[in-house]
Amino acid sequence: MEDLFTSTAIKEIKRVPYGKVSTYGFIAKLCGDNRGAQRVAEILHLHSEKYALPWHRIINSQGEIAINNPEIAQVQRRLLEKEGIVFAGDIVNLKKYLFDPNQVSLGGYF
DNA sequence: AGCTTGACTGTGG
DNA sequence: ACCACAGCCAAGC
């Protein structure tokens, strides 16, 4: 059994759809903790396999892959590109790909 | 109990 | 745009 932050974070992470991304800080805010970005990172680090989380869809606030291990980072990039996400250098355009559960509609239609 | 580390972030130079 | 710094907070030792 986990604490409230952890269980909420897991729920929010699983909500991020195919072809979209989210950020550590954004997930933390959805959990009601503006300073919990590192906790989100740690949850992904420890529990992503256990809870079948879409870990590759979570990146940092700059739109970059945040994983230190270069091999894992490359796997993450490939997974994102496979979902249709385009990198500009090492950067993902968050304006375009960030999943905002409170502003789902009007994606690309205006 | 104290110290280090990290898949973080915002700010300021 | 790049880098250094300082908050922050849980995990591991």
Side-chain angles (χ1 to χ4, degrees):
Chain A
M1 208 43 189
E2 291 84 11
D3 58 273
L4 180 61
F5 181 90
T6 302
S7 54
T8 308
I10 288 171
K11 226 171 7 183
E12 293 297 338
I13 291 164
K14 296 186 87 145
R15 215 194 291 295
V16 180
Y18 184 99
K20 287 287 193 176
V21 300
S22 191
T23 74
Y24 304 96
F26 196 82
I27 295 290
K29 275 181 195 158
L30 293 176
C31 299
D33 183 352
N34 300 49
R35 305 176 280 192
Q38 275 183 316
R39 300 187 64 184
V40 174
E42 186 171 325
I43 289 165
L44 287 163
H45 181 74
L46 297 177
H47 307 300
S48 59
E49 194 165 329
K50 182 177 181 183
Y51 294 100
L53 301 177
W55 59 273
H56 58 284
R57 303 198 184 120
I58 313 300
I59 57 184
N60 72 21
S61 64
Q62 311 307 306
E64 304 165 300
I65 286 175
I67 294 178
N68 289 327
N69 185 324
E71 300 170 4
I72 309 296
Q74 193 195 18
V75 170
Q76 180 175 10
R77 175 165 180 154
R78 272 217 313 279
L79 286 169
L80 290 175
E81 290 174 329
K82 202 164 66 176
E83 299 191 357
I85 291 171
V86 178
F87 282 72
D90 292 321
I91 308 287
V92 170
N93 185 340
L94 289 178
K95 287 277 199 204
K96 187 172 178 183
Y97 295 111
L98 178 67
F99 171 62
D100 186 345
N102 296 314
Q103 194 172 359
V104 175
S105 58
L106 49 96
Y109 287 101
F110 285 98

